[in-house]
Amino acid sequence: MKFFVDTAVVDEIKELNDLGLVDGVTTNPSLILKSGRDIIEVTKEICSLVDGPVSAEVAATDYETIMKEAAVIAKIADNICIKLPLTLDGLKACKALTSDGHKTNVTLCFSANQALLAAKAGATYISPFIGRLDDMAIDGLDLIAEIRQIYDNYDYDTQILAASIRTVNHVKEAALIGADVSTVPPSTLKALVKHPLTDKGLEAFLADWAKTGQTIG
Ligand code: E4P
């Protein structure tokens, strides 16, 4: 499974990238707001830091303006991925942009039928939002499983990018189901390493090691 980091904060991306954990980055208008940075400027900086795809989202909702904004975003860097809303105009733009050779990420997916449409529009990635469905007492992971089955039934190339991840369990379950990518907030990505038995075991090993009086090297 690939890990994308779900943030527009450069220092957070740098830290995780240095750990070798970042296969790509996703941003959205809310994350740009949180970063306090200009979208073009910060996206350019992120694209220069990571080798993988960096999703930047259009803000327009009509086809013509989406295409104008997409042209601006596409110029930022070679590893840019244009993020589009899951609407009829967004899907039309997706078809046109993928046909032109751009990477696309269709976002705000909450149903299997929406994901089917995105695959038919040639999306590089579909972003089903797990956490926001969970917030409504609907199991977001069921949606990942449905999309996996549909895409496998028809051999669609569109990759499932599990989004709106809130817990380490979301990451594990999305991996078990076979999502291609999880986009994970930095704190959740770092929390994946944690286990109390690892901490306890390490503490005991270090205590015993100190008693040996040895050093390595
Ligand atoms: C990423 O592409 C999505 O925009 C993001 O994961 C949404 O997460 P949220 O539901 O926590 O805002």
Side-chain angles (χ1 to χ4, degrees), residues 2 4 53 55 80-82 84 94-95 97-99 101-106 118-119 121-127 151 156-161 180-181:
K2 286 182 183 153
F4 290 178
S55 288
I80 204 77
C81 179
I82 304 161
L84 303 155
C94 178
K95 186 84 187 167
L97 291 164
T98 40
S99 302
H102 296 291
K103 285 189 278 294
T104 51
N105 174 357
V106 176
T124 315
Y125 300 101
I126 181 68
S127 288
Y151 282 10
Y156 284 122
D157 289 334
T158 300
Q159 295 182 51
I160 303 173
L161 198 175
D180 301 283
V181 189

Side-chain angles (χ1 to χ4, degrees), residues 146-166:
E146 287 176 357
I147 300 171
R148 181 72 282 155
Q149 187 176 335
I150 290 170
Y151 282 10
D152 288 350
N153 285 348
Y154 297 96
D155 268 342
Y156 284 122
D157 289 334
T158 300
Q159 295 182 51
I160 303 173
L161 198 175
S164 189
I165 281 184
R166 306 269 169 81

